[in-house]
C-alpha cells in the first residue's frame, strides 16, 4: 500500500480522506441490472500485505488463469495505488448456486506447483498477504464474528460482526504453511421491483468469501470439473512445502442470498468498520480545546494590544513612549525583507497550491463525489488539482516576492514551480527504483512516470509562470510603516525564544486537534483500510487552520515584544511545528502498530512519511505565515508613527 501513495497525493493523505456511512455514488454511475443466470464477472485487483507494504499482481502467484488474460484500463489513481485489475476463471452466474467447482483442472488432474512456485507461495503466506477480488466493483470481504461480552454465559454472548478486506492467502501453524485453496463465495442480491409482465432483475449488494484450506486427498473431483467437499471437520488443510513440488486443487463454491440492502447503500458494510463515536469524541474534544484556548489567547492579546496601542497613541507622552520597550520599537525594521526572499516566496507559493488542492478535494469528497466506490478517483483528482492550482500558488508567490523587493521574477517562478514538486518527485523516483527491484505492482510504470512529468512541465509549470507574472505585476502588499535604512540591533534573546523551543511550543495545539483523526488516516494508508469520513476530516481541517493561525499570531507577538524583527522565516518554520509531532507519531506508529522488519518496506515507510511531513509542514507553515503577516500589518497600522 505504501507504494500506492506516490507523488503529490501524499500531501493530501495526511488530512484528506466520507462524511456519513451512506455510500454516495458519483453522478452518472448507474447500477448494473442482472437477469437470472447472467454472468457476474469476478476480477482480481492485487495482493497486499501490511508487513511488506508491497502490492503484487494477482498472477504473480501460480493461480489458475483464464484462456485469455485481459487487464482493465486503470486511471491514474489506480496505477499509483498498485491496482492491476484482471479477469479470473471463476464462473459465477446470477442467483445460480454452485456446490463445488474445480479450477484449471485437466482430465481430473491436480495442479502441480514447482519448487520455485511453492517457495514463492510459502513466502507470500508467511508475509501475511491478502488477496483482493471484486464483483460488480464490490471488493470481497471476509466476515469476522467477535464476541463483545466474553465474561457472560455462552447463551448471552453477542456477536460483533466485522469485515476484513480481501481474504488471507493462507496461514501458518506449528511451523507449517497452509494455502487457502477453496473459496466459498457468498453473494447478496437485491431484487428490483418490476411490473407483473416483466422479468425480475437483480443487483449485487455484497460480496463475501469464506476461505478454506482442504488437502488434495480430501477433495473428490470428477471429469466434469465438479468436486465434493469433505463433510464436517474431518479434512486436513492443504500444506505447502517450500522444499518440494506440491499438488493441489483450486476449487470454489457459490452461494446466493437475497438482501434488503438497496444498491445505493451497498457500500455501508465496508464503510462501517470504524467506530464513529470515537470520531465524534475526537472532533468535540478538539473543538472544545482549540476554541477554549483560542478564546483565552485572543482575549489576552486583544487586551494587551489595546493597552499598548492606547499608550503609544497618547500625543502628550511621546517621550515616555519612546523609552518603552516592546513591539513598537521595531516598527522601522519589522517589514525589512528577509534573507533568501525567493526561496521563502516559492515555499509559500507551494503551500498555497497545497492548501487550495486539499480544501477542494476534502470538500468534494465530503459531498460524496470521491467515495471508495469510485476506485482511484481521490488520487487522480488530487494530482490534477495540484497541477491546476499552480496558478494560485504562482500568483501569491509572485506578489509576495515583489513585496520583498525581489526583481528576478522569471527565476522566482521557475523556483516556485520546481522546488517542492522536484523534491517530491526525486524522492518518489528513488523509492520507485527499489519497488521496481522487488517486481511489485506498486512500482509506477515508466509511461505513467513520463505522463506525470508531462503534466508537471506541460500544465503546472506554465500555470505557475502565468500566475507569477500577474502576481508580480500586481501592486505589492501595502506595509503600514516605512523601513529604516540602518537595521536595528537585536538584544540578546531569552532561552525560550529559541527557534526549536518555539517549534515545540507552537506544534502542540494543532497536533492535539488532529491527533485521533491521524490514527485513522495512518490505518487507511498502511493497513489497507478504507477511509471515508471526509465530513469529520473537513471539520478537523477547519480546526487545524484556526489553531495554526492563533498560535502563529501569539508566537510572532512574543517575538516582536522581544524586539526581534526577523520574523519572516522564523514564523514560517515555527508555524509548521506540528509537522515535527507528526514525524514523532509516525515513528511511534511504526514501532508499535506495524510489523515491518525488512529494509525496503522500512525505507518505503520512512520515505513516504518524510514526504507527508514535508507537505504538512508547508501547509501549516503557510497558514501560520499569512495569519501572522495580516496580524503584523494590522497592529502597526493602528499606531501613530512619528
Amino acid at each position: 500500500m505504501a507504494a500506492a501513495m506516490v507523488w503529490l497525493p501524499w500531501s493530501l493523505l495526511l488530512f484528506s480522506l466520507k462524511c456519513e456511512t451512506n455510500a454516495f455514488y458519483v453522478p452518472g454511475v448507474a447500477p448494473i441490472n442482472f437477469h437470472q443466470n447472467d454472468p457476474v464477472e469476478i476480477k482480481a485487483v492485487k495482493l497486499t500485505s501490511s508487513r511488506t507494504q508491497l502490492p503484487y499482481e494477482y498472477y504473480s502467484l501460480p493461480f489458475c488463469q483464464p484462456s485469455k488474460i485481459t487487464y482493465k484500463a486503470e486511471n491514474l489513481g489506480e496505477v499509483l495505488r498498485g491496482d492491476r485489475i484482471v479477469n479470473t476463471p471463476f464462473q459465477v452466474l446470477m442467483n445460480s448456486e454452485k456446490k463445488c467447482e474445480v479450477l484449471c483442472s485437466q482430465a481430473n488432474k491436480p495442479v502441480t506447483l514447482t519448487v520455485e512456485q511453492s517457495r514463492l507461495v510459502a513466502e507470500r503466506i508467511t508475509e501475511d498477504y491478502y488477496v483482493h477480488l471484486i464483483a460488480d466493483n464490490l471488493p470481497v470481504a471476509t466476515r469476522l464474528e467477535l464476541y463483545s461480552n466474553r465474561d457472560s454465559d455462552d447463551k448471552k454472548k453477542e456477536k460483533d460482526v466485522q469485515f476484513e478486506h480481501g481474504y488471507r492467502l493462507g496461514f501458518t501453524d506449528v511451523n507449517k504453511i497452509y494455502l487457502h485453496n477453496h473459496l466459498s463465495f457468498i453473494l447478496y442480491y437485491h431484487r428490483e421491483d418490476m411490473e407483473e409482465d416483466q422479468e425480475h432483475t437483480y443487483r449485487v449488494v455484497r460480496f463475501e468469501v469464506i476461505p478454506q484450506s482442504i488437502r488434495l486427498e480430501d477433495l473428490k473431483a470428477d471429469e466434469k470439473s465438479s468436486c465434493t467437499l469433505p463433510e464436517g471437520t474431518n479434512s486436513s488443510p492443504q500444506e505447502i512445502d517450500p522444499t518440494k513440488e506440491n499438488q493441489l486443487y483450486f476449487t470454489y463454491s457459490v452461494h446466493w442470498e437475497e438482501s434488503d440492502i438497496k444498491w445505493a447503500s451497498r457500500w455501508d458494510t465496508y464503510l462501517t468498520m470504524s467506530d464513529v463515536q470515537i470520531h465524534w469524541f475526537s472532533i468535540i474534544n478538539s473543538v472544545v480545546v482549540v476554541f477554549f484556548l483560542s478564546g483565552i489567547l485572543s482575549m489576552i492579546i486583544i487586551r494587551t494590544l489595546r493597552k499598548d496601542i492606547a499608550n503609544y497613541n497618547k500625543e502628550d507622552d511621546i517621550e515616555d513612549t519612546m523609552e518603552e520597550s516592546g513591539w513598537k520599537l521595531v516598527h522601522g525594521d519589522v517589514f525589512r525583507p528577509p534573507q533568501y526572499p525567493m526561496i521563502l516566496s516559492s515555499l509559500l507559493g507551494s503551500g498555497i497550491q497545497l492548501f487550495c488542492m486539499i480544501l477542494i478535494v476534502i470538500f468534494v469528497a465530503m459531498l460524496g463525489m470521491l467515495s471508495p466506490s469510485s476506485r482511484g478517483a481521490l488520487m487522480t483528482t488530487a494530482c490534477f488539482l495540484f497541477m491546476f492550482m499552480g496558478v494560485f500558488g504562482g500568483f501569491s508567490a509572485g506578489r509576495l516576492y515583489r513585496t520583498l523587493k525581489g526583481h528576478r521574477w522569471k527565476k522566482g517562478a521557475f523556483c516556485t514551480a520546481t522546488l517542492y514538486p522536484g523534491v517530491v518527485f526525486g524522492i518518489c523516483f528513488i523509492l520507485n527504483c527499489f519497488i521496481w527491484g522487488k517486481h511489485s505492482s506498486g512500482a509506477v510504470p515508466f509511461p505513467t512516470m513520463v505522463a506525470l512529468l508531462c503534466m508537471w512541465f506541460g500544465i503546472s509549470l506554465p500555470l505557475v509562470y502565468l500566475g507569477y507574472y500577474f502576481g508580480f505585476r500586481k501592486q505589492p502588499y501595502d506595509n503600514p510603516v516605512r523601513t529604516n535604512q540602518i537595521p536595528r540591533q537585536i538584544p540578546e534573546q531569552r532561552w525560550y525564544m529559541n527557534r526549536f523551543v518555539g517549534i515545540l511550543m507552537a506544534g502542540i495545539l494543532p497536533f492535539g486537534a488532529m491527533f485521533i483523526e491521524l490514527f485513522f488516516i495512518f490505518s487507511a494508508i498502511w493497513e489497507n483500510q478504507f477511509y471515508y469520513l471526509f465530513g469529520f476530516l473537513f471539520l478537523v481541517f477547519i480546526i487545524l487552520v484556526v489553531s495554526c493561525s492563533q498560535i502563529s499570531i501569539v508566537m510572532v507577538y512574543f517575538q516582536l515584544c522581544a524586539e526581534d524583527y526577523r520574523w519572516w522565516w522564523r514564523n514560517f518554520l515555527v508555524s509548521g511545528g506540528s509537522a515535527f509531532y507528526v514525524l514523532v507519531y509516525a515513528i511511534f506508529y511504526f514501532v508499535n502498530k506495524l510489523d515491518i522488519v525488512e529494509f525496503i518496506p522500512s525505507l518505503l515507510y520512512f520515505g513516504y512519511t518524510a514526504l507527508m511531513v514535508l507537505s504538512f509542514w508547508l501547509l501549516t507553515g503557510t497558514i501560520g505565515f499569512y495569519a501572522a503577516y495580516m496580524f503584523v500589518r494590522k497592529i502597526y497600522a493602528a499606531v501613530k508613527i512619528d
Side-chain angles (χ1 to χ4, degrees), residues 388-414:
F388 287 106
M389 292 300 108
V391 66
F392 297 104
F395 181 86
S396 59
R399 191 175 183 191
L400 181 64
Y401 182 57
R402 185 177 181 185
T403 304
L404 299 179
K405 313 298 183 186
H407 302 291
R408 297 175 294 176
W409 75 270
K410 293 180 181 178
K411 188 176 180 180
F414 183 79

Side-chain angles (χ1 to χ4, degrees), residues 33 68 117 151 153 176 204 209 239 307 423 459 559 616:
N33 294 320
K68 182 181 179 182
Q117 290 174 332
D151 298 333
D153 298 334
K176 290 187 176 181
V204 180
V209 66
E239 183 183 353
K307 184 179 178 181
V423 171
I459 299 176
Q559 183 179 352
F616 191 66

Side-chain angles (χ1 to χ4, degrees), residues 153-197:
D153 298 334
D154 291 342
K155 295 181 179 179
K156 297 181 180 179
K157 285 185 177 180
E158 295 181 2
K159 290 183 179 180
D160 183 17
V161 178
Q162 294 182 358
F163 290 91
E164 199 172 48
H165 301 302
Y167 70 89
R168 288 180 180 270
L169 179 61
F171 62 95
T172 58
D173 185 26
V174 196
N175 296 326
K176 290 187 176 181
I177 301 169
Y178 302 99
L179 172 69
H180 284 141
N181 60 324
H182 177 80
L183 303 179
S184 298
F185 293 132
I186 305 173
L187 291 102
Y188 294 78
Y189 64 87
H190 181 76
R191 191 193 302 265
E192 295 301 306
D193 295 331
M194 306 294 290
E195 297 181 5
E196 294 182 2
D197 57 339

Side-chain angles (χ1 to χ4, degrees), residues 7-27:
W7 226 66
L8 299 169
W10 265 113
S11 54
L12 171 69
L13 282 169
L14 190 61
F15 14 71
S16 60
L17 294 159
K18 182 162 169 193
C19 179
E20 303 87 10
T21 55
N22 299 336
F24 197 102
Y25 282 78
V26 179

Side-chain angles (χ1 to χ4, degrees), residues 24-91:
F24 197 102
Y25 282 78
V26 179
V29 176
I32 299 177
N33 294 320
F34 295 92
H35 296 283
Q36 180 74 30
N37 293 327
D38 277 357
V40 179
E41 192 171 9
I42 306 294
K43 294 184 178 182
V45 182
K46 58 183 173 182
L47 311 170
T48 63
S49 169
S50 59
R51 288 188 60 187
T52 68
Q53 302 297 331
L54 292 167
Y56 287 95
E57 291 188 35
Y58 180 71
Y59 290 122
S60 64
L61 293 182
F63 291 119
C64 296
Q65 299 182 3
S67 56
K68 182 181 179 182
I69 296 178
T70 306
Y71 283 90
K72 171 185 171 292
E74 291 100 356
N75 57 39
L76 178 61
E78 289 175 318
V79 173
L80 297 181
R81 283 166 44 90
D83 293 356
R84 300 293 183 269
I85 301 175
V86 65
N87 61 328
T88 62
F90 296 107
Q91 301 292 326

Side-chain angles (χ1 to χ4, degrees), residues 295-313:
I296 293 177
L297 293 174
S298 301
M299 185 173 64
I300 293 173
I301 286 185
I302 289 173
R303 289 186 62 182
T304 306
L305 278 174
R306 281 181 177 172
K307 184 179 178 181
D308 288 349
I309 292 171
N311 289 335
Y312 291 148
N313 287 344

Side-chain angles (χ1 to χ4, degrees), residues 268-279:
D268 291 5
T269 302
Y270 305 89
L271 302 183
T272 53
M273 298 184 188
S274 302
D275 192 349
V276 178
Q277 291 182 350
I278 295 177
H279 284 84

